[in-house]
Amino acid sequence: MRFLHRFALALALLAMPAIGAVAETPVERGRYLVTTIAACGNCHTPRDAAKKPVAGRELSGGFEFEDPGLGQIVGTNITPDAETGIGHWSEADIVTALRDGKRPDGTLIRPPMPIPVYRQLSDNDAAAIAAYLKSVKPVRNKVGEAHYGVPLPPRRSCTCPSHRAPIKSLTARTCPGRSGIASCVTRRRAAASRST
């Protein structure tokens, strides 16, 4: 009997966040995701000399760090500043960047951005992150370029003949380079698993 009471209490506690989440606006949900689970500020917020986030410049990029496996990484500005951030991006562009790692100009977002993790976001959570990023204060902050010490896939993504084409039909001609084929296959398998 005691077990049943504990089980019921555990179920009630697990259900509470879901009940509260219904009342959240997309921007509130996005703020929660960006500042906690997605931890966007870890890479996209500049730091002072003491390595603490610079207040008032959240998500404006410029945080530089060395990744032994990749090289010198520079976090980009993801505030809606029109010149140095993502101000010209639509919410759909932001969702595409999160899920597919592709900017509106077609260039790829490179590591360490955890695209495979963000691909698993629900449609509502991806849209909430986009809504929140569009709502934050624009901060003008032109940042430098990352310098990678390892070869990476091309900056442009491949153009697959169709996302519905059989995976075995992808060739070096349709998706140049092994990384292009792997990227297409991975992206399409992830999309297929989201739709089931």
Side-chain angles (χ1 to χ4, degrees):
M1 188 67 159
R2 184 178 236 173
F3 171 77
L4 289 176
H5 287 290
R6 287 185 182 164
F7 184 72
L9 178 61
L11 281 177
L13 289 173
L14 287 173
M16 286 175 74
I19 293 167
V22 173
E24 284 181 320
T25 67
V27 170
E28 290 168 337
R29 176 72 178 161
R31 180 182 189 284
Y32 167 74
L33 292 169
V34 165
T35 60
T36 59
I37 296 168
C40 301
N42 286 355
C43 293
H44 295 280
T45 296
R47 308 275 194 252
D48 62 19
K51 303 286 186 208
K52 302 227 185 251
V54 177
R57 301 191 56 82
E58 292 83 1
L59 306 177
S60 69
F63 176 55
E64 296 186 29
F65 60 96
E66 182 73 27
D67 183 312
L70 292 173
Q72 184 68 25
I73 308 302
V74 181
T76 57
N77 184 341
I78 59 171
T79 72
D81 180 66
E83 290 186 38
T84 65
I86 59 172
H88 292 294
W89 294 23
S90 68
E91 289 185 16
D93 291 335
I94 295 169
V95 170
T96 298
L98 288 169
R99 287 213 170 127
D100 298 332
K102 191 163 74 170
R103 293 179 185 90
D105 68 1
T107 59
L108 298 179
I109 296 172
R110 295 178 156 206
M113 181 74 169
I115 302 299
V117 174
Y118 296 150
R119 248 184 218 127
Q120 306 307 313
L121 287 168
S122 70
D123 291 344
N124 288 343
D125 283 349
I129 288 172
Y132 175 68
L133 290 177
K134 292 297 280 185
S135 78
V136 299
K137 178 186 85 167
V139 178
R140 181 177 300 261
N141 188 24
K142 185 163 177 53
V143 301
E145 291 284 322
H147 298 283
Y148 294 94
V150 296
L152 293 171
R155 288 191 63 89
R156 297 265 175 200
S157 63
C158 63
T159 305
C160 295
S162 166
H163 286 293
R164 298 197 183 277
I167 288 174
K168 65 184 177 184
S169 73
L170 299 177
T171 66
R173 184 178 55 76
T174 59
C175 297
R178 286 185 179 177
S179 61
I181 295 170
S183 173
C184 285
V185 170
T186 302
R187 187 170 56 244
R188 290 184 31 209
R189 285 189 177 144
S193 69
R194 273 197 313 268
S195 65
T196 58

